[in-house]
Amino acid sequence: METSRGPPRVKNKAAAPIQISAEQLLREAVDRQDPGLQAPTQRFADVEELHEFQARKRKEFEDYVRRNRINMNNWLRYATWELEQKEFRRFRSVLERALDVDSTHVGLWIRYFEGELKHKNINFARNIINRAITTLPRVSKLWYKAVWMEETLGNVPGARQFFDRWLQWQPEEAAFYAAIGLEKRYNEFDRARTIFRQLTLVHPDPKNWIKWARFEEENGTSDLVREVYGNAIEELGQDFMDEKIFIEYARFETKLKELERARVIYKYALNALPRSKSARLHKSYTTFEKQFGDKDGVEDVILSKRRVHYEQLVKENPKNYDAWIDYARLEEASGDIDRVRDVYEKAISQVPPSQEKRHWRRYIYLWIFYALYEELENNDSERARQIYLECIRLIPHKRFTFSKIWVLKANFDIRQRDVTSARKTLGRAIGECPKDSLFHKYIQLELRLFEFGRCRKIFEKWLEFNAANCAAWLKFSELERGLDDIPRARAIFELAVSQPVLDMPELLWKGYIDFEEEEGQYERARKLYERLLQKTDHVKVWISYAHFEINVPDPGTEDEESPIGEEAIERARKIFQRGYKSMKEKELKEERVALLNAWKSFETTHGTPDDIEKVEKQMPRKVKKRRKLDDDSFEEYLDYVFPADDESAAKMANLLRMAQQWKQEQQQEQNGSV
């Protein structure tokens, strides 16, 4: 039986030595086309036959336009055909009739114009484009056609006349620039200046003024450039002024080495424009001062401008704590201690309006940076301590707290060699507002001081506060194991796994099992796995159990090079078999597949070909099925069909078939006896 094959694969995907283009393929296809399949060439024997053909075609076109007058494509095809027949009067008649139907169709006017122009009927084309732009003066494409025709014919005054008429309608900016381009091509710079003046009146955008100034820079004098920039600043006014004009003006003066003029322009602009509209201007001014000014002047300019900026920000929104932080950092860079303290004092006085932690998250960093500044920059440890204490007093610890403040205060006391004060701080923290991070930091402090008895007490307090924290139980057991108190560590683990609620029980059980395995207590670890399987029947537990059995050495082989013996392999195989049976009874298909994959990997490494074959026979196959959803629609999904399930289904189907056959035989016997 033949099997269906897919499309052939291209093995060599490198470029061919001879490249063939699509155009070449099309030309060869036309050249090699069978003459019998080509479209026949119509030939006319005499004029009467030609006239008969033309009359027939005209009748067809007339029928088209009569049936659907508003379809302009029919009129355009009709007119194009008449133009191909050199029937210019009929061509004009068709398009005039079409324009009577819809005189606003741009395509009709353009086709009319191009048809006359193509056959060098210049006056007809000129009249048509005049009619078109009179009818549709807002269509730029018609004006461009008219100007292009006149300039192509060398009638520059005619093109200029069209531009003058067009610009009276106040079109888009591109029309003005097209007119300017025409004047520049013929060196009529005065006319170009006049058009620029019209452009800035119709479209008073700063970019148009800048383009005018650049035009004067190329074709005029420096006085004309300054006049343009001056008029722009005067006419735009305060409301419509843009920083780009000042930047370009200052760059022009800089190019002419008029540095004082440029500096005056920058300063005038910075005073006239608000900060929100002059970000690039400040950057440009800074670059200018770096190039042509002295160091002190640059720093003063930058510092003063940024100070004004931050003062404006905090004035608009006193609760903008990020702006306060940046403002304080700016003053720290200046080195003025009084200014820095004044900014910090003003900032911390802006207490959040509500007792919600999300409103305090950025505010608390003001106190932190203030304290660190006093301690590290000013070496005023007493003032830093007062800042920490005042911050702790201000926070409403009954509603929320910030563990970082308590920890920073304790670390500050450690740096001041005051361990007692650090312990009091953290003890007060876990007493007033206990948090897991506070217990953790307190334990780390005592570990660095080798106070293990205190560590045990803090762990006990921690677990009394949050007995569901598995990380705390694990760290507590690590402490006891590090102190070589194995029974105590084991008791902590037993107490931990007996808790009714745990946040991450899988980590706790894994830690307990790893602990027993590392201690060489394989039987205890095996019992832990059995206890865990009674709580959860997860597939990962079965796989981990089997891997554990592989690593357990056989009795009497502990000193040999290879710890994996036949008994270990058989124990692991039995675990896989138990797990597969459990998953099968609970009809967990995804878990059965995961277990079989792990089992197959195990047999590939440690088993024989027969063992691998046994596992492969149990591997399922994927099938597509459909199921009905709540909205009466269906969706496809992938399902697994296991060989054992297929055999059970086949046996059940065979049993039902035999029962049905027996029932039919009984009915036939009853009918025969009757």
Side-chain angles (χ1 to χ4, degrees):
M1 186 174 102
E2 295 184 358
T3 58
S4 61
R5 297 181 179 178
R9 288 187 175 182
V10 180
K11 295 183 179 179
N12 186 5
K13 296 184 179 180
I18 300 176
Q19 299 294 315
I20 302 176
S21 65
E23 181 182 0
Q24 184 178 354
L25 291 174
L26 293 174
R27 289 183 180 275
E28 291 181 359
V30 173
D31 294 340
R32 298 178 183 179
Q33 190 174 9
D34 188 358
L37 300 177
Q38 294 180 354
T41 303
Q42 190 171 6
R43 300 181 182 276
F44 302 103
D46 52 16
V47 177
E48 292 182 0
E49 188 174 351
L50 174 61
H51 288 170
E52 182 183 355
F53 165 74
Q54 290 176 342
R56 187 170 63 253
K57 290 291 291 183
R58 287 191 182 99
K59 186 177 182 304
E60 291 178 4
F61 282 119
E62 289 293 341
D63 291 339
Y64 289 146
V65 298
R66 185 173 60 253
R67 285 196 296 267
N68 191 357
R69 287 169 53 83
I70 62 175
N71 187 354
M72 293 296 112
N73 291 329
N74 293 332
W75 293 100
L76 288 172
R77 283 193 291 268
Y78 191 3
T80 302
W81 184 81
E82 292 291 358
L83 190 62
E84 292 173 354
Q85 305 300 317
K86 307 298 182 182
E87 295 286 348
F88 299 114
R89 293 180 61 188
R90 291 182 179 275
F91 165 73
R92 297 181 187 117
S93 176
V94 171
L95 287 178
E96 291 294 341
R97 290 163 58 195
L99 289 172
D100 289 339
V101 176
D102 185 6
S103 62
T104 62
H105 194 279
V106 180
L108 287 175
W109 290 107
I110 292 176
R111 188 69 188 91
Y112 201 175
F113 167 75
E114 290 178 347
E116 298 290 358
L117 192 63
K118 181 178 180 181
H119 293 86
K120 300 182 180 180
N121 298 325
I122 304 302
N123 288 330
F124 277 104
R126 186 176 284 119
N127 292 333
I128 291 165
I129 203 65
N130 266 304
R131 288 171 58 195
I133 60 180
T134 304
T135 306
L136 302 170
R138 292 296 183 183
V139 179
S140 300
K141 192 172 184 180
L142 298 174
W143 292 101
Y144 282 122
K145 288 286 184 182
V147 172
W148 169 80
M149 178 189 68
E150 296 296 349
E151 189 175 3
T152 304
L153 295 174
N155 186 12
V156 178
R160 186 176 290 120
Q161 186 179 5
F162 274 115
F163 269 124
D164 292 340
R165 291 172 57 190
W166 189 9
L167 298 183
Q168 290 178 2
W169 288 94
Q170 298 183 358
E172 66 277 2
E173 298 174 1
F176 288 91
Y177 287 117
I180 292 169
L182 174 70
E183 302 299 349
K184 288 174 66 177
R185 284 194 292 273
Y186 297 98
N187 297 324
E188 294 288 344
F189 300 122
D190 291 335
R191 291 181 178 272
R193 291 186 182 95
T194 303
I195 299 172
F196 265 119
R197 166 57 62 184
Q198 295 178 356
L199 172 62
T200 54
L201 291 175
V202 177
H203 300 285
D205 193 272
K207 66 179 181 181
N208 296 327
W209 288 98
I210 293 173
K211 288 183 179 180
W212 187 5
R214 289 177 179 174
F215 166 79
E216 296 293 355
E217 189 175 350
E218 294 176 1
N219 306 292
T221 62
S222 58
D223 293 334
L224 290 175
V225 177
R226 293 188 180 105
E227 183 181 353
V228 171
Y229 280 122
N231 292 335
I233 296 171
E234 182 180 354
E235 294 186 14
L236 288 176
Q238 187 70 25
D239 296 332
F240 301 99
M241 184 53 60
D242 194 332
E243 60 181 349
K244 296 178 183 177
I245 291 180
F246 292 105
I247 293 173
E248 293 296 330
Y249 193 5
R251 285 178 180 174
F252 169 73
E253 297 293 353
T254 305
K255 190 185 299 184
L256 297 179
K257 304 300 181 182
E258 295 286 348
L259 302 182
E260 288 302 323
R261 282 179 176 268
R263 186 173 285 107
V264 170
I265 293 168
Y266 276 124
K267 290 182 178 180
Y268 172 79
L270 291 172
N271 293 328
L273 293 177
R275 178 66 187 186
S276 59
K277 296 182 180 180
S278 58
R280 290 180 55 194
L281 184 65
H282 278 275
K283 185 177 180 181
S284 179
Y285 184 32
T286 304
T287 305
F288 171 80
E289 290 292 349
K290 287 180 179 179
Q291 291 178 346
F292 305 105
D294 54 359
K295 181 178 178 181
D296 295 335
V298 173
E299 292 181 354
D300 291 340
V301 167
I302 295 175
L303 188 62
S304 61
K305 296 303 178 183
R306 292 186 67 83
R307 184 179 292 125
V308 171
H309 167 60
Y310 289 126
E311 287 178 353
Q312 184 177 359
L313 286 179
V314 298
K315 183 178 180 181
E316 293 174 356
N317 183 12
K319 299 298 187 291
N320 187 353
Y321 301 120
D322 290 327
W324 281 112
I325 292 172
D326 294 338
Y327 190 9
R329 292 291 174 83
L330 177 69
E331 296 298 347
E332 288 181 17
S334 68
D336 192 338
I337 298 176
D338 294 332
R339 278 184 172 273
V340 176
R341 287 177 176 172
D342 182 62
V343 171
Y344 272 122
E345 291 295 336
K346 290 179 180 179
I348 61 178
S349 65
Q350 301 296 329
V351 182
S354 64
Q355 291 189 355
E356 295 184 20
K357 190 171 183 178
R358 60 189 180 91
H359 294 149
W360 288 64
R361 292 187 186 278
R362 299 301 296 168
Y363 171 72
I364 207 67
Y365 280 99
L366 289 169
W367 291 91
I368 294 174
F369 293 146
Y370 191 10
L372 292 176
Y373 170 77
E374 292 292 349
E375 180 190 0
L376 303 178
E377 298 295 333
N378 293 339
N379 297 322
D380 193 343
S381 57
E382 188 59 34
R383 191 180 184 92
R385 179 179 286 105
Q386 295 299 323
I387 293 171
Y388 279 122
L389 293 176
E390 184 63 24
C391 179
I392 291 173
R393 186 192 64 80
L394 185 65
I395 297 173
H397 300 290
K398 298 297 181 182
R399 298 180 62 88
F400 60 85
T401 190
F402 292 95
S403 58
K404 60 175 68 69
I405 286 293
W406 297 101
V407 174
L408 287 172
K409 172 61 169 58
N411 290 335
F412 167 78
D413 291 330
I414 294 296
R415 290 193 294 272
Q416 301 301 319
R417 301 180 182 277
D418 191 353
V419 179
T420 303
S421 180
R423 284 172 175 161
K424 288 181 179 180
T425 300
L426 292 175
R428 178 187 170 188
I430 63 176
E432 292 185 8
C433 45
K435 293 181 67 175
D436 292 332
S437 57
L438 289 173
F439 285 104
H440 179 62
K441 294 295 183 180
Y442 197 179
I443 291 169
Q444 285 185 336
L445 171 64
E446 297 296 349
L447 281 176
R448 291 199 298 267
L449 298 174
F450 299 101
E451 294 287 347
F452 303 115
R454 290 180 177 271
C455 290
R456 286 193 178 103
K457 291 180 180 179
I458 300 169
F459 268 120
E460 291 173 1
K461 295 285 186 181
W462 190 1
L463 295 174
E464 288 177 5
F465 164 69
N466 186 8
N469 192 338
C470 293
W473 290 104
L474 290 172
K475 292 183 180 297
F476 196 5
S477 63
E478 289 177 6
L479 173 66
E480 298 298 346
R481 188 180 180 189
L483 297 175
D484 291 334
D485 197 342
I486 303 302
R488 193 183 184 96
R490 186 176 289 117
I492 291 171
F493 272 120
E494 285 293 336
L495 187 60
V497 298
S498 64
Q499 298 298 318
V501 178
L502 294 171
D503 54 359
M504 291 184 292
E506 64 278 3
L507 293 181
L508 187 61
W509 281 96
K510 183 180 183 302
Y512 195 3
I513 292 170
D514 292 344
F515 165 75
E516 296 292 359
E517 187 176 358
E518 291 171 2
E519 292 296 327
Q521 300 293 329
Y522 301 114
E523 190 60 34
R524 287 180 177 272
R526 192 175 288 116
K527 290 180 180 179
L528 286 176
Y529 270 115
E530 295 294 340
R531 289 170 58 187
L532 182 57
L533 289 173
Q534 293 177 3
K535 290 179 174 291
T536 177
D537 199 16
H538 200 278
V539 63
K540 291 184 179 180
V541 179
W542 289 103
I543 296 173
S544 177
Y545 193 4
H547 290 167
F548 162 76
E549 292 291 355
I550 296 173
N551 296 324
V552 176
D554 294 341
T557 62
E558 288 81 355
D559 298 333
E560 296 181 4
E561 294 181 358
S562 178
I564 303 177
E566 292 297 331
E567 294 184 10
I569 295 173
E570 189 61 30
R571 287 196 305 269
R573 186 177 290 118
K574 288 181 179 179
I575 297 299
F576 278 118
Q577 292 172 355
R578 284 177 55 195
Y580 181 76
K581 182 179 179 182
S582 175
M583 300 297 168
K584 181 179 178 182
E585 291 175 353
K586 296 180 179 179
E587 298 182 356
L588 301 175
K589 294 185 178 181
E590 298 285 346
E591 288 77 359
R592 287 169 71 183
V593 173
L595 187 68
L596 284 173
N597 289 330
W599 192 358
K600 182 180 178 181
S601 176
F602 162 76
E603 295 293 357
T604 303
T605 306
H606 304 290
T608 61
D610 294 337
D611 296 329
I612 298 173
E613 185 179 359
K614 289 179 182 179
V615 178
E616 288 179 346
K617 287 181 179 180
Q618 301 180 67
M619 296 295 289
R621 57 186 176 86
K622 291 183 179 180
V623 295
K624 281 187 177 181
K625 292 186 178 181
R626 299 181 67 195
R627 57 188 170 197
K628 190 174 182 181
L629 302 177
D630 295 337
D631 56 354
D632 294 336
S633 61
F634 291 87
E635 71 170 358
E636 290 187 350
Y637 67 98
L638 290 176
D639 195 10
Y640 295 99
V641 177
F642 293 85
D645 298 343
D646 276 352
E647 293 177 1
S648 301
K651 290 179 180 179
M652 182 61 67
N654 189 22
L655 183 61
L656 291 174
R657 183 179 55 79
M658 292 175 63
Q660 187 175 8
Q661 183 178 359
W662 175 82
K663 184 177 182 181
Q664 291 177 356
E665 291 176 356
Q666 292 294 328
Q667 290 179 355
Q668 291 176 0
E669 290 179 0
Q670 291 178 2
N671 294 335
S673 61
V674 173

